[in-house]
């Protein structure tokens, strides 16, 4: 056997994505380069690792076993690199965080200084909906998660980061006639919601129910960016987190509409399982947050106080 670490990495990505094209994109390599590395790796085994049926690539049972072994080898190599850096007195290791979709406007600001100061830290941040974030916590797939609503079913520790404010938001193109007051917007115009599983959607549905608002005109969009563009275009109105619309408010593309019971105010929380044994890297990050959180909020989110 004379395989290289690079070949192991390429083969592992192919088994993960079941596609040479997708693997080449993920690895930032050309498709021929990935095909060549796969062939060189395959040539070292007398049993097929993959097979193509129709146009679909499949990994054989033997290939799955080799992929599992490859993952273990690469994990050990990664551990050696981390131990080398740690021996030099540097913080090194992998930090895995799952973030609810709107949290992408928040979490990077609480990470950038830490990762810049500790070049041996590899960051993996998954941005997804609330249901998937909770599942990643339950399955112990991440060190931390960023949520605005703490799931009741889990026993969690938390660090409170900053407020999350949700306002009624509309575009600036609509000209209301005198018969339509602001108080009738939620009953007279389409309401735009995020998809099921979104904390923002849950908050909006709870608010509409509590205010006894009757509006059958309902649209659903599957991302915060899509929702924002729909509101700007005049498709309807929505209750949205302030954190994600800073530039649109500044540019005059969106407006905050005062409404009874708004804003809805929650908090962004970094959470983790109480039973989890945090790695030295994760513990170092918690120490960083405790000492730097207030400075980061002041430096990066000072504008938030104006609303």
């Amino acid at each position: 056997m004379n395989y290289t670490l690079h070949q192991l990495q390429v083969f592992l990505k192919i088994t993960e994505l079941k596609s040479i094209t997708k693997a080449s994109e993920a690895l930032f390599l050309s498709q021929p380069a990935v095909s060549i590395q796969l062939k060189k790796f395959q040539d070292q085994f007398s049993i097929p690792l993959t097979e193509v049926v129709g146009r679909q690539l499949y990994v054989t049972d033997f290939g799955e076993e080799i992929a599992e072994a490859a993952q273990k080898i690469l994990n050990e190599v990664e551990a050696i690199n981390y131990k080398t850096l740690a021996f030099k007195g540097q913080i090194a290791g992998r930090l895995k965080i799952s973030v609810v979709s709107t949290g992408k406007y928040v979490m990077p600001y609480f990470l950038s200084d830490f990762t810049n100061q500790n070049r041996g830290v590899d960051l993996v941040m998954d941005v997804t909906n609330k249901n998937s974030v909770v599942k990643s916590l339950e399955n112990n797939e991440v060190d931390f998660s960023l949520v605005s609503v703490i799931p009741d079913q889990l026993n969690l520790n938390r660090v409170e980061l900053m407020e999350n404010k949700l306002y009624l938001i509309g575009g600036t193109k609509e000209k209301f006639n005198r018969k339509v007051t602001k108080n009738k917007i939620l009953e007279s115009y389409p309401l735009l919601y995020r998809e099921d599983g979104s904390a923002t959607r849950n908050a909006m549905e709870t608010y509409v129910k509590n205010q006894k608002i009757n509006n059958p005109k309902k649209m659903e969009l599957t991302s915060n960016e899509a929702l924002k563009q729909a509101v700007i275009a005049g498709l309807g109105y929505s209750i949205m987190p302030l954190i994600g619309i800073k530039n649109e408010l500044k540019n005059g593309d969106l407006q905050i509409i005062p409404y009874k019971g708004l804003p809805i105010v929650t908090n962004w929380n970094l959470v983790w399982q109480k039973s989890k044994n945090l790695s030295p890297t994760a513990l170092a990050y918690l120490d960083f947050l405790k000492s730097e959180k207030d400075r980061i909020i002041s430096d990066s989110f000072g504008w938030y106080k104006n609303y």
Side-chain angles (χ1 to χ4, degrees), residues 172-183:
T172 55
K173 295 180 180 180
E174 181 68 40
K175 304 297 183 182
F176 298 109
N177 61 47
R178 294 179 181 180
K179 294 182 180 179
V180 181
T181 65
K182 288 181 179 178
N183 292 337

Side-chain angles (χ1 to χ4, degrees), residues 236-271:
Y237 292 80
S238 187
I239 294 176
M240 300 179 66
L242 175 63
I243 196 69
I245 58 173
K246 174 186 176 182
N247 291 334
E248 288 75 15
L249 290 173
K250 182 179 178 181
N251 296 336
D253 296 322
L254 291 175
Q255 60 177 318
I256 291 176
I257 302 169
Y259 213 91
K260 179 183 177 182
L262 295 175
I264 300 168
V265 180
T266 59
N267 287 287
W268 290 109
N269 296 278
L270 193 73
V271 299

Side-chain angles (χ1 to χ4, degrees), residues 75-94 119-122 281:
N75 287 344
E76 289 299 319
V77 171
E78 189 176 74
I80 290 172
N81 293 334
Y82 292 152
K83 288 176 182 178
T84 301
L85 291 170
F87 193 77
K88 294 178 180 179
Q90 301 177 30
I91 297 173
R94 179 172 291 178
R119 297 293 185 176
V121 172
D122 291 332
T281 301

Side-chain angles (χ1 to χ4, degrees), residues 21-262:
T21 300
K22 292 179 180 178
S24 66
E25 293 172 353
L27 294 168
F28 301 100
L29 297 171
S30 68
Q31 188 171 330
V34 170
S35 297
I36 290 170
Q37 292 302 316
L38 176 61
K39 183 179 185 305
K40 288 182 177 179
F41 191 59
Q42 174 64 78
D43 286 346
Q44 299 177 70
F45 301 94
S46 58
I47 303 173
L49 299 170
T50 62
E51 58 184 357
V52 177
V53 179
R55 294 186 176 182
Q56 178 63 48
L57 183 144
Y58 295 90
V59 182
T60 65
D61 291 343
F62 178 68
E64 293 287 0
E65 292 191 17
I66 296 301
E68 184 177 341
Q71 183 66 74
K72 291 178 181 178
I73 292 170
L74 293 172
N75 287 344
E76 289 299 319
V77 171
E78 189 176 74
I80 290 172
N81 293 334
Y82 292 152
K83 288 176 182 178
T84 301
L85 291 170
F87 193 77
K88 294 178 180 179
Q90 301 177 30
I91 297 173
R94 179 172 291 178
L95 187 64
K96 299 184 71 174
I97 301 176
S98 59
V99 178
V100 294
S101 54
T102 310
K104 65 178 175 287
Y105 302 109
V106 176
M107 199 67 228
Y109 293 94
F110 290 93
L111 287 165
S112 59
D113 285 349
F114 179 75
T115 55
N116 288 334
Q117 293 166 14
N118 302 284
R119 297 293 185 176
V121 172
D122 291 332
L123 173 66
V124 179
M125 189 172 79
D126 181 30
V127 180
T128 183
N129 64 31
K130 181 188 174 185
N131 287 345
S132 297
V133 167
V134 172
K135 187 176 293 186
S136 70
L137 278 171
E138 289 177 325
N139 296 339
N140 196 32
E141 297 170 349
V142 295
D143 299 303
F144 305 109
S145 293
L146 182 71
V147 295
S148 59
V149 178
I150 298 176
D152 295 330
Q153 69 270 32
L154 299 178
N155 192 16
L156 302 173
N157 287 317
R158 70 180 179 123
V159 173
E160 187 177 294
L161 297 184
M162 58 181 286
E163 285 187 339
N164 180 36
K165 302 177 184 178
L166 291 86
Y167 286 91
L168 176 62
I169 303 298
T172 55
K173 295 180 180 180
E174 181 68 40
K175 304 297 183 182
F176 298 109
N177 61 47
R178 294 179 181 180
K179 294 182 180 179
V180 181
T181 65
K182 288 181 179 178
N183 292 337
K184 292 294 183 180
I185 287 176
L186 292 184
E187 295 180 355
S188 305
Y189 291 84
L191 298 184
L192 309 185
Y193 289 81
R194 284 287 307 279
E195 77 284 1
D196 282 332
S198 162
T200 299
R201 179 189 179 119
N202 291 341
M204 185 171 173
E205 286 182 330
T206 300
Y207 175 80
V208 169
K209 180 180 178 180
N210 290 342
Q211 294 296 322
K212 298 179 180 179
I213 295 166
N214 181 23
N215 189 332
K217 301 174 182 178
K218 183 177 179 180
M219 301 182 191
E220 180 179 302
L221 294 96
T222 57
S223 76
N224 197 66
E225 287 301 316
L227 183 64
K228 185 164 54 177
Q229 293 304 318
V231 173
I232 291 173
L235 280 178
Y237 292 80
S238 187
I239 294 176
M240 300 179 66
L242 175 63
I243 196 69
I245 58 173
K246 174 186 176 182
N247 291 334
E248 288 75 15
L249 290 173
K250 182 179 178 181
N251 296 336
D253 296 322
L254 291 175
Q255 60 177 318
I256 291 176
I257 302 169
Y259 213 91
K260 179 183 177 182
L262 295 175

